[in-house]
Protein backbone atom coordinates (compact mmCIF):
# COMPACT_ATOMS: atom_id res chain seq x y z
CA UNK A 1 0.00 0.00 0.00
CA UNK A 2 2.75 2.48 0.93
CA UNK A 3 4.58 1.81 -2.33
CA UNK A 4 1.80 3.38 -4.39
CA UNK A 5 1.34 7.11 -4.82
CA UNK A 6 -1.64 8.65 -3.05
CA UNK A 7 -3.68 11.75 -3.84
CA UNK A 8 -5.80 12.93 -0.92
CA UNK A 9 -8.95 14.16 -2.65
CA UNK A 10 -10.17 16.34 0.20
CA UNK A 11 -8.12 18.54 2.51
CA UNK A 12 -8.88 22.03 3.75
CA UNK A 13 -6.72 25.10 4.11
CA UNK A 14 -7.76 27.80 6.56
CA UNK A 15 -6.39 31.33 6.00
CA UNK A 16 -3.99 31.18 8.94
CA UNK A 17 -0.22 31.80 9.12
CA UNK A 18 1.77 28.67 8.33
CA UNK A 19 -1.25 26.62 7.26
CA UNK A 20 0.19 25.69 3.86
CA UNK A 21 3.54 24.75 5.39
CA UNK A 22 1.83 22.52 7.96
CA UNK A 23 -0.30 20.90 5.27
CA UNK A 24 2.72 20.03 3.13
CA UNK A 25 4.58 18.71 6.17
CA UNK A 26 1.62 16.46 6.98
CA UNK A 27 1.51 15.16 3.43
CA UNK A 28 5.22 14.36 3.67
CA UNK A 29 4.84 12.63 7.03
CA UNK A 30 2.05 10.44 5.62
CA UNK A 31 3.83 9.90 2.30
CA UNK A 32 0.99 11.49 0.37
CA UNK A 33 2.02 12.69 -3.05
CA UNK A 34 -0.69 15.26 -3.81
CA UNK A 35 -3.93 16.68 -2.41
CA UNK A 36 -7.04 18.48 -3.60
CA UNK A 37 -7.41 21.61 -1.48
CA UNK A 38 -10.63 23.44 -0.55
CA UNK A 39 -10.89 26.52 1.62
CA UNK A 40 -11.55 26.06 5.32
CA UNK A 41 -12.33 28.42 8.14
CA UNK A 42 -15.42 29.92 6.53
CA UNK A 43 -17.37 29.19 9.71
CA UNK A 44 -15.95 28.30 13.13
CA UNK A 45 -16.32 24.68 14.14
CA UNK A 46 -18.65 25.28 17.07
CA UNK A 47 -21.08 27.12 14.85
CA UNK A 48 -20.73 24.58 12.05
CA UNK A 49 -21.52 21.71 14.39
CA UNK A 50 -24.59 23.60 15.59
CA UNK A 51 -25.71 24.22 12.01
CA UNK A 52 -25.40 20.53 11.21
CA UNK A 53 -27.91 19.74 13.94
CA UNK A 54 -30.17 22.78 14.15
CA UNK A 55 -29.84 24.33 10.69
CA UNK A 56 -28.68 27.81 9.87
CA UNK A 57 -26.03 29.13 7.54
CA UNK A 58 -23.47 31.82 6.83
CA UNK A 59 -23.33 33.99 3.74
CA UNK A 60 -19.63 34.82 3.91
CA UNK A 61 -17.18 33.83 1.18
CA UNK A 62 -14.49 31.19 1.63
CA UNK A 63 -10.91 32.39 1.18
CA UNK A 64 -10.33 30.94 -2.26
CA UNK A 65 -7.39 33.32 -2.77
CA UNK A 66 -5.47 31.69 0.08
CA UNK A 67 -6.05 28.28 -1.50
CA UNK A 68 -4.87 29.49 -4.88
CA UNK A 69 -1.73 31.08 -3.41
CA UNK A 70 -0.82 27.94 -1.47
CA UNK A 71 -1.32 25.72 -4.49
CA UNK A 72 0.69 28.00 -6.74
CA UNK A 73 3.71 27.57 -4.48
CA UNK A 74 3.48 23.79 -4.16
CA UNK A 75 5.01 22.65 -7.43
CA UNK A 76 1.77 20.95 -8.45
CA UNK A 77 1.34 18.93 -5.26
CA UNK A 78 -1.71 20.94 -4.14
CA UNK A 79 -4.69 21.14 -6.50
CA UNK A 80 -7.09 24.08 -5.93
CA UNK A 81 -10.87 23.73 -5.79
CA UNK A 82 -13.17 26.75 -5.67
CA UNK A 83 -15.49 26.81 -2.64
CA UNK A 84 -18.63 28.38 -4.09
CA UNK A 85 -20.96 30.67 -2.20
CA UNK A 86 -24.44 30.19 -3.69
CA UNK A 87 -25.47 33.52 -2.15
CA UNK A 88 -23.28 35.15 -4.83
CA UNK A 89 -24.09 35.20 -8.54
CA UNK A 90 -22.56 32.24 -10.41
CA UNK A 91 -20.38 34.73 -12.29
CA UNK A 92 -18.24 34.98 -9.16
CA UNK A 93 -17.19 31.38 -9.80
CA UNK A 94 -17.29 31.48 -13.57
CA UNK A 95 -14.95 34.50 -13.72
CA UNK A 96 -12.27 32.60 -11.78
CA UNK A 97 -12.98 29.00 -12.73
CA UNK A 98 -10.04 28.76 -15.14
CA UNK A 99 -7.65 29.17 -12.18
CA UNK A 100 -9.18 26.22 -10.31
CA UNK A 101 -9.57 22.52 -11.00
CA UNK A 102 -12.94 21.82 -9.42
CA UNK A 103 -15.83 23.16 -7.37
CA UNK A 104 -17.18 22.56 -3.88
CA UNK A 105 -20.77 23.20 -2.77
CA UNK A 106 -21.69 22.79 0.90
CA UNK A 107 -25.27 23.15 2.19
CA UNK A 108 -23.76 22.59 5.65
CA UNK A 109 -21.95 25.94 5.43
CA UNK A 110 -24.06 28.17 3.19
CA UNK A 111 -27.44 26.56 3.79
CA UNK A 112 -28.55 26.57 0.14
CA UNK A 113 -30.34 23.39 -0.90
CA UNK A 114 -29.14 21.20 -3.74
CA UNK A 115 -32.62 21.68 -5.22
CA UNK A 116 -32.12 25.46 -5.35
CA UNK A 117 -31.74 27.01 -8.85
CA UNK A 118 -28.60 28.77 -7.66
CA UNK A 119 -26.88 25.43 -7.15
CA UNK A 120 -27.96 24.27 -10.61
CA UNK A 121 -26.42 27.43 -12.06
CA UNK A 122 -23.12 26.64 -10.34
CA UNK A 123 -23.10 23.04 -11.59
CA UNK A 124 -23.89 24.27 -15.11
CA UNK A 125 -20.86 26.57 -14.86
CA UNK A 126 -18.72 23.65 -13.66
CA UNK A 127 -19.79 21.74 -16.77
CA UNK A 128 -18.42 24.56 -18.94
CA UNK A 129 -14.96 24.06 -17.39
CA UNK A 130 -15.11 20.25 -17.07
CA UNK A 131 -14.80 20.62 -13.30
CA UNK A 132 -15.78 17.86 -10.91
CA UNK A 133 -18.10 19.05 -8.11
CA UNK A 134 -17.55 18.02 -4.48
CA UNK A 135 -20.74 18.09 -2.43
CA UNK A 136 -21.44 17.73 1.29
CA UNK A 137 -24.90 16.27 1.93
CA UNK A 138 -27.07 16.48 5.06
CA UNK A 139 -30.05 14.69 6.56
CA UNK A 140 -32.19 17.70 5.69
CA UNK A 141 -34.78 18.34 2.99
CA UNK A 142 -33.11 19.65 -0.14
CA UNK A 143 -29.62 18.54 0.88
CA UNK A 144 -29.93 14.76 1.06
CA UNK A 145 -28.10 12.15 -0.98
CA UNK A 146 -31.35 11.59 -2.87
CA UNK A 147 -31.31 15.27 -3.81
CA UNK A 148 -27.73 14.86 -5.03
CA UNK A 149 -28.87 11.98 -7.23
CA UNK A 150 -31.56 14.21 -8.74
CA UNK A 151 -28.92 16.86 -9.44
CA UNK A 152 -26.63 14.27 -11.02
CA UNK A 153 -29.40 13.12 -13.34
CA UNK A 154 -29.91 16.69 -14.47
CA UNK A 155 -26.18 17.08 -15.24
CA UNK A 156 -24.98 13.65 -16.45
CA UNK A 157 -21.90 15.23 -18.03
CA UNK A 158 -20.62 16.45 -14.63
CA UNK A 159 -18.75 14.22 -12.19
CA UNK A 160 -20.16 14.76 -8.70
CA UNK A 161 -18.34 13.60 -5.59
CA UNK A 162 -20.34 12.73 -2.50
CA UNK A 163 -18.11 13.79 0.38
CA UNK A 164 -17.49 12.21 3.78
CA UNK A 165 -18.94 8.78 2.94
CA UNK A 166 -22.44 10.25 2.78
CA UNK A 167 -24.35 11.48 5.83
CA UNK A 168 -22.87 10.28 9.09
CA UNK A 169 -20.40 7.43 9.42
CA UNK A 170 -22.63 4.42 8.63
CA UNK A 171 -24.45 5.62 5.52
CA UNK A 172 -24.88 2.34 3.66
CA UNK A 173 -28.13 3.77 2.31
CA UNK A 174 -26.16 6.41 0.39
CA UNK A 175 -24.37 3.62 -1.45
CA UNK A 176 -27.72 2.21 -2.52
CA UNK A 177 -28.96 5.61 -3.64
CA UNK A 178 -25.93 6.46 -5.81
CA UNK A 179 -25.19 2.96 -7.10
CA UNK A 180 -27.10 3.38 -10.36
CA UNK A 181 -25.96 6.95 -10.96
CA UNK A 182 -22.54 6.52 -12.61
CA UNK A 183 -21.50 10.19 -12.48
CA UNK A 184 -21.47 10.18 -8.66
CA UNK A 185 -18.31 9.02 -6.88
CA UNK A 186 -17.82 8.58 -3.13
CA UNK A 187 -15.05 10.24 -1.12
CA UNK A 188 -14.41 8.15 1.97
CA UNK A 189 -13.32 10.48 4.79
CA UNK A 190 -15.21 10.08 8.05
CA UNK A 191 -17.04 6.85 7.29
CA UNK A 192 -16.37 3.59 9.07
CA UNK A 193 -14.16 0.92 7.56
CA UNK A 194 -17.17 -1.24 6.77
CA UNK A 195 -18.67 1.60 4.71
CA UNK A 196 -15.45 1.96 2.71
CA UNK A 197 -15.42 -1.80 2.13
CA UNK A 198 -19.06 -1.76 1.03
CA UNK A 199 -18.40 1.19 -1.28
CA UNK A 200 -15.72 -0.76 -3.13
CA UNK A 201 -17.99 -3.80 -3.32
CA UNK A 202 -21.18 -2.01 -4.42
CA UNK A 203 -19.81 0.84 -6.53
CA UNK A 204 -16.56 -0.68 -7.73
CA UNK A 205 -13.10 0.69 -7.04
CA UNK A 206 -13.47 3.01 -10.04
CA UNK A 207 -16.02 5.16 -8.17
CA UNK A 208 -14.27 5.50 -4.80
CA UNK A 209 -11.84 8.29 -3.82
CA UNK A 210 -9.49 8.44 -0.86
CA UNK A 211 -9.83 11.63 1.19
CA UNK A 212 -8.95 12.71 4.72
CA UNK A 213 -10.69 16.02 5.59
CA UNK A 214 -7.41 17.30 7.03
CA UNK A 215 -6.98 19.14 9.42
CA UNK A 216 -10.19 17.88 11.09
CA UNK A 217 -8.97 14.33 10.51
CA UNK A 218 -5.35 13.29 10.25
CA UNK A 219 -4.59 11.50 6.96
CA UNK A 220 -2.86 8.70 8.87
CA UNK A 221 -6.22 7.73 10.37
CA UNK A 222 -7.90 7.50 6.97
CA UNK A 223 -4.96 5.58 5.51
CA UNK A 224 -5.26 3.09 8.37
CA UNK A 225 -8.89 2.52 7.40
CA UNK A 226 -7.83 1.23 4.01
CA UNK A 227 -4.76 -0.56 5.31
CA UNK A 228 -6.88 -2.93 7.39
CA UNK A 229 -9.06 -3.69 4.35
CA UNK A 230 -5.99 -5.11 2.59
CA UNK A 231 -7.38 -4.38 -0.85
CA UNK A 232 -5.73 -5.79 -3.97
CA UNK A 233 -3.05 -3.34 -5.18
CA UNK A 234 -4.93 -2.56 -8.40
CA UNK A 235 -8.03 -1.53 -6.45
CA UNK A 236 -6.07 0.67 -4.05
CA UNK A 237 -4.28 2.29 -7.00
CA UNK A 238 -7.61 3.33 -8.50
CA UNK A 239 -8.97 4.66 -5.19
CA UNK A 240 -5.79 6.45 -4.14
CA UNK A 241 -4.61 7.79 -7.49
CA UNK A 242 -6.19 6.88 -10.82
CA UNK A 243 -9.77 7.98 -10.14
CA UNK A 244 -8.72 11.39 -8.88
CA UNK A 245 -6.50 12.03 -11.86
CA UNK A 246 -9.25 10.95 -14.22
CA UNK A 247 -11.57 13.55 -12.66
CA UNK A 248 -8.83 16.16 -12.92
CA UNK A 249 -8.19 15.30 -16.57
CA UNK A 250 -4.73 13.92 -15.78
CA UNK A 251 -5.16 10.24 -16.56
CA UNK A 252 -1.63 9.87 -17.95
CA UNK A 253 0.17 11.25 -14.90
Amino acid sequence: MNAQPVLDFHVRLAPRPGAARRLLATLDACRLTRAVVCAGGTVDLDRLSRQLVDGGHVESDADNDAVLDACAGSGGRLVPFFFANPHRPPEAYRARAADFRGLEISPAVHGVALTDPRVAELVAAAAEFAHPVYVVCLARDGATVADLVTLARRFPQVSLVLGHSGVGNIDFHALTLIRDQPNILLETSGGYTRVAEAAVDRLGAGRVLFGSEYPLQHPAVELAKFRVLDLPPEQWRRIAWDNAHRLLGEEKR
Side-chain angles (χ1 to χ4, degrees), residues 82 84 89-98 100 102-103 121-127 129 131-133:
F82 187 92
E91 286 71 27
Y93 161 56
R94 187 178 281 109
R96 305 196 60 196
F100 292 83
L103 176 71
E121 290 176 347
L122 286 167
V123 176
F129 293 89
H131 279 176
V133 180

Side-chain angles (χ1 to χ4, degrees), residues 65 90 96 110 135 152 178 190 195 213 223 236 241:
D65 289 331
R96 305 196 60 196
H110 291 115
V135 180
I178 70 173
V195 176
E213 181 65 341
L223 287 167
W236 174 238
W241 192 257

Side-chain angles (χ1 to χ4, degrees), residues 165 172 175 178 186 188 193-209 226 239:
S165 298
F172 292 94
L175 303 180
I178 70 173
L186 183 83
T188 59
T193 304
R194 286 288 301 276
V195 176
E197 182 179 45
V200 177
D201 181 57
R202 299 182 191 184
L203 305 177
R207 289 177 59 194
V208 180
L209 295 159
F226 279 96
I239 293 165

Side-chain angles (χ1 to χ4, degrees), residues 16-217:
R16 300 189 181 99
R21 174 182 52 78
R22 289 190 294 272
L23 168 57
L24 288 168
T26 302
L27 297 184
D28 289 340
C30 295
R31 299 182 180 179
L32 299 178
T33 309
R34 305 180 77 194
V36 164
V37 184
C38 296
T42 308
V43 56
D44 71 77
L45 294 178
D46 286 287
R47 178 168 181 173
L48 178 60
S49 63
R50 187 171 68 249
Q51 288 181 186
L52 289 172
V53 176
D54 297 332
H57 69 279
V58 299
E59 297 188 11
S60 51
D61 294 327
D63 195 339
N64 291 302
D65 289 331
V67 168
L68 205 58
D69 289 345
C71 293
S74 71
R77 292 189 71 188
L78 303 181
V79 182
F81 269 39
F82 187 92
F83 197 147
N85 181 354
H87 297 283
R88 308 287 186 199
E91 286 71 27
Y93 161 56
R94 187 178 281 109
R96 305 196 60 196
D99 295 326
F100 292 83
R101 305 293 299 281
L103 176 71
E104 177 177 2
I105 299 169
S106 179
V109 173
H110 291 115
V112 178
L114 301 177
T115 54
D116 192 292
R118 291 171 292 181
V119 167
E121 290 176 347
L122 286 167
V123 176
E128 296 173 19
F129 293 89
H131 279 176
V133 180
Y134 184 96
V135 180
V136 177
C137 288
L138 303 170
R140 189 175 304 154
D141 287 347
T144 66
V145 176
D147 294 313
L148 178 66
V149 171
T150 298
L151 188 66
R153 288 172 179 162
R154 183 173 176 182
F155 295 96
Q157 76 277 35
V158 177
S159 294
L160 293 144
V161 177
L162 172 58
H164 308 320
S165 298
V167 180
N169 45 28
I170 56 169
D171 197 355
F172 292 94
H173 183 52
L175 303 180
T176 299
L177 289 173
I178 70 173
R179 180 172 51 200
D180 296 328
Q181 194 58 42
N183 60 324
I184 301 180
L185 290 85
L186 183 83
E187 180 269 313
T188 59
S189 65
Y192 286 151
T193 304
R194 286 288 301 276
V195 176
E197 182 179 45
V200 177
D201 181 57
R202 299 182 191 184
L203 305 177
R207 289 177 59 194
V208 180
L209 295 159
F210 171 80
S212 71
E213 181 65 341
Y214 169 90
L216 281 180
Q217 178 78 299

